[in-house]
């Protein structure tokens, strides 16, 4: 069932368009990961989905009904959707009172409130902190309390802005498990933003990528800011993140007109990895050091440091043939259709 | 030197003996200052909150005017109120001149800008995320405003304490509008001025000691409240 349907949504601040989405459909009961670099519009999209902000233009349908952006209608819709901030702030009361806040607003009686508070604190593993001042909690505990405060309201949709960005590894794992549990046990639709593609792959049923306010058809990894410039013999080169320069495959000579700054996406499945001794003559290759090798479904993920980190997804046969090892220097070659300029 | 020691010794004795005249003066001072502070808080806190929280046009101009009013001398306020409540004034018929009510009115005018400006500062300092969090948890406009008010409570409390400290130690308004009538409008500061004029230092020093003790108490309270707000 369709939960959200966004059509021609734009959001502008001071004449600057920060979000421009032609169409986006979110289904009920799924987990969505929203990937994208800083400033891509992830938080703006979450604010719109949580009915905290009305878009500048476009229509949103929620459960098949077109959303009326009047004050009263938005307030009613907010009772079904809760947003957990990247850096959540706790009211200067106890842990218990923080969780009770939304329940009191919904006029739930005291006995029931206490039961929900106990149950929720148990779920997030903060039972022993019930009467502690919320401001006294650590970063990870605060993030879990913020989740508890949202979960106590049993929302249909839980929106989390980088839920694990500012917590330690232990709390990251706890929060990931929690999100999965909530989705499985309560059927809550979860939409979370992240920079971590691995986390997105592990948690989400579907991944959305935002680039400069627009939904991108690419995956998030191997997306770099770049400066294009002409090199010798009519070829083009590209400086990634202002750090490392790579040659562009031939097809991109068509982009000679577009010399300047922008973003580039390199498809990780369209990069070949060679051992140095297998280097072929007359091909433009990039040398790098292997820093990570891991299995990912039918593919092998290899991360190569070429000055910036570049991900290569190898099929198992190529991996058997090349056997990249951590610390080894190898060469990358981009296929002619590997590069997309954005 | 012996004059100094003698005056202090006599003053301490007067305070220790709970001299009835001294107690009466302290009572008048506290009564007038407390009523003025409560009245100013009743007006200044909501006003400051609306200015800080609301998205009103001309907000910056209002804040600038408030900050200017903070520097208003007490004698100017005294003179201003006098023109209204003296026999020839608009409210002359109310016969307010040289009454405690007149002093309250003057002190109220003195500290309303202070309470308002400090409330504006306190509410403006409340993290914007409180508003967003309250809204996403389902709060309506009033409930969201109350959350912001609650989170700014220590700063607002400090504003009220600061205002009380201002009125308890002022002299211009009390002298001009109260007239320093014994047992009726004589406050600690006006009594001290009178005793100084008479060259009788014992009561003046004793009142000074009480005033310093009250100021100290207010500052301790102010620091406690400020400390809580920054914790």
């Amino acid at each position: 069932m369709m939960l959200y349907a966004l059509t021609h949504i734009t959001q502008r601040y001071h004449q600057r368009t920060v979000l421009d989405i032609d169409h986006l459909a979110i289904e009920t009961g799924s987990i969505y990961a929203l990937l994208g670099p800083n400033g891509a519009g992830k938080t703006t999209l979450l604010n719109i989905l949580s009915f905290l902000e009305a878009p500048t233009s476009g229509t949103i349908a929620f459960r098949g009904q077109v959303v009326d952006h009047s004050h009263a209608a938005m307030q009613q819709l907010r009772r079904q959707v809760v947003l957990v901030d990247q850096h959540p702030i706790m009211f200067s009361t106890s842990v218990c009172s923080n969780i009770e806040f939304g329940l009191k607003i919904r006029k739930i009686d005291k006995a029931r409130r206490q039961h929900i508070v106990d149950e929720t604190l148990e779920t997030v593993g903060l039972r022993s902190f019930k009467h502690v001042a919320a401001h006294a909690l650590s970063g990870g505990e605060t993030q879990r309390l913020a989740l508890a405060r949202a979960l106590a309201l049993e929302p249909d949709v839980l929106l989390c802005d980088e839920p694990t960005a500012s917590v330690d590894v232990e709390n990251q794992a706890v929060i990931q498990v929690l999100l999965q549990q909530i989705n499985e046990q309560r059927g809550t639709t979860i939409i979370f933003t992240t920079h971590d593609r691995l986390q997105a792959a592990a948690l989400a049923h579907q991944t959305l990528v935002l680039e400069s306010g627009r939904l991108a058809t690419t995956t998030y990894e191997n997306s770099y800011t770049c400066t294009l410039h002409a090199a010798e013999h009519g070829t083009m080169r590209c400086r990634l993140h202002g750090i490392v320069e790579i040659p562009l495959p031939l097809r991109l000579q068509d982009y000679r007109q577009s010399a300047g700054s922008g973003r580039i996406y390199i498809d990780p499945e369209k990069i070949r990895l060679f051992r140095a001794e297998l280097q072929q003559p007359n091909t433009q290759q990039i040398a790098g050091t292997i820093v990570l090798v891991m299995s990912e479904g039918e593919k092998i993920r290899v991360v190569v440091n070429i000055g910036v980190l570049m991900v290569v997804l190898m099929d198992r046969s190529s991996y058997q043939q090349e056997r990249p090892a951590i610390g080894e220097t190898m060469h990358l070659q981009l296929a002619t259709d590997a590069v997309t300029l954005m | 030197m012996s004059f100094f020691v003698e005056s202090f010794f006599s003053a301490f004795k007067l305070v220790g003996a709970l001299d009835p005249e001294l107690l009466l003066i302290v009572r008048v001072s506290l009564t007038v200052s407390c009523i003025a502070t409560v009245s100013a808080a009743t007006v200044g806190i909501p006003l400051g909150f609306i200015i800080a929280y609301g998205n009103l046009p001309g907000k910056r101009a209002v804040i600038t005017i408030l900050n200017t009013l903070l520097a208003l001398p007490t004698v100017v306020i005294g003179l201003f109120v006098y023109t209204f409540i003296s026999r020839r004034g608009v409210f002359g018929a109310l016969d307010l001149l040289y009454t405690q009510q007149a002093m309250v009115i003057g002190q109220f005018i003195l500290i309303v800008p202070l309470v308002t400006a400090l409330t504006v500062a306190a509410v403006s300092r409340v993290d914007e995320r409180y508003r967003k969090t309250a809204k996403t948890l389902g709060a309506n406009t009033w409930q969201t405003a109350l959350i912001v008010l609650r989170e700014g409570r220590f700063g607002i409390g400090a504003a009220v304490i600061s205002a009380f400290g201002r009125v308890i130690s002022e002299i211009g308004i009390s002298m001009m509008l109260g007239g320093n009538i014994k047992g009726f409008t004589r406050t600690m500061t006006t009594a001290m001025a009178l005793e100084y004029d008479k060259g009788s230092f014992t009561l003046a020093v004793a009142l000074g000691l009480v005033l310093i003790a009250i100021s100290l108490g207010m500052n301790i309270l102010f620091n406690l409240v400020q400390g809580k707000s920054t914790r």
Side-chain angles (χ1 to χ4, degrees), chain A residues 47 52 71 75 78-79 81-83 85 87 89-93 101 105-106 135 149 153, chain B residues 127 129-141 143-144 147 150-151 153-154 231:
Chain A
N47 285 341
L52 287 168
H71 198 70
Q75 197 190 308
R78 283 202 290 268
R79 298 271 170 117
V81 183
V82 179
L83 171 68
D85 244 331
H87 301 289
I89 195 156
M90 294 296 127
F91 302 128
S92 55
T93 53
F101 176 77
I105 281 172
R106 284 161 179 77
H135 283 174
R149 193 167 58 178
L153 307 175
Chain B
D127 198 311
R129 286 175 296 166
Y130 281 117
R131 204 189 286 214
K132 190 177 173 186
T133 303
K135 278 167 88 174
T136 196
L137 293 174
N140 61 25
T141 310
Q143 289 159 334
T144 306
I147 281 293
R150 188 180 70 185
E151 295 305 327
R153 65 192 181 276
F154 297 120
R231 207 173 292 160

Side-chain angles (χ1 to χ4, degrees), chain A residues 18-91:
Chain A
V18 294
L19 198 67
D20 185 358
I21 293 175
D22 275 346
H23 182 74
L24 172 63
I26 307 273
E27 283 177 18
T28 307
S30 293
I31 302 182
Y32 286 81
L34 194 53
L35 287 158
N38 290 334
K42 301 189 297 292
T43 303
T44 306
L45 179 56
L46 283 195
N47 285 341
I48 289 172
L49 294 176
S50 61
F51 305 111
L52 287 168
E53 274 180 36
T56 310
S57 65
T59 54
I60 304 173
F62 184 69
R63 296 189 187 288
Q65 299 281 315
V66 174
V67 172
D68 164 18
H69 291 293
S70 71
H71 198 70
M74 294 270 273
Q75 197 190 308
Q76 277 307 313
L77 287 168
R78 283 202 290 268
R79 298 271 170 117
Q80 300 168 58
V81 183
V82 179
L83 171 68
V84 177
D85 244 331
Q86 181 183 359
H87 301 289
I89 195 156
M90 294 296 127
F91 302 128

Side-chain angles (χ1 to χ4, degrees), chain B residues 13-172:
Chain B
K13 266 176 62 180
L14 210 61
V15 174
L18 297 175
D19 177 72
E21 190 186 350
L22 180 124
L23 287 185
L24 186 61
I25 293 168
V26 172
R27 200 181 75 189
V28 170
S29 274
L30 289 176
T31 307
V32 170
S33 299
C34 284
I35 294 171
T37 306
V38 170
S39 311
T42 310
V43 173
I45 294 172
L47 191 63
F49 184 79
I50 290 166
I51 293 168
Y53 186 78
N55 225 345
L56 308 171
K59 184 171 168 174
R60 290 174 76 92
V62 173
I63 292 172
T64 306
I65 292 167
L66 278 174
N67 289 334
T68 309
L69 290 175
L70 292 182
L72 212 56
T74 53
V75 283
V76 173
I77 295 170
L79 200 64
F80 176 75
V81 177
Y82 181 89
T83 58
F84 279 89
I85 63 171
S86 65
R87 291 232 177 260
R88 286 179 296 169
V90 182
F91 301 111
L94 297 174
D95 209 15
L96 287 169
L97 193 62
Y98 304 135
T99 63
Q100 289 186 8
Q101 287 93 316
M103 293 159 73
V104 168
I105 292 168
Q107 292 188 349
F108 170 84
I109 294 171
L110 175 70
I111 58 169
V112 159
L114 182 67
V115 175
T116 310
L118 293 181
T119 301
V120 169
V123 174
S124 302
R125 275 201 305 270
V126 173
D127 198 311
E128 185 58 32
R129 286 175 296 166
Y130 281 117
R131 204 189 286 214
K132 190 177 173 186
T133 303
K135 278 167 88 174
T136 196
L137 293 174
N140 61 25
T141 310
W142 277 105
Q143 289 159 334
T144 306
L146 282 176
I147 281 293
V148 174
L149 189 65
R150 188 180 70 185
E151 295 305 327
R153 65 192 181 276
F154 297 120
I156 295 168
V160 175
I161 293 168
S162 186
F164 181 79
R166 178 83 178 92
V167 285
I168 195 83
S169 58
E170 74 80 29
I171 183 165

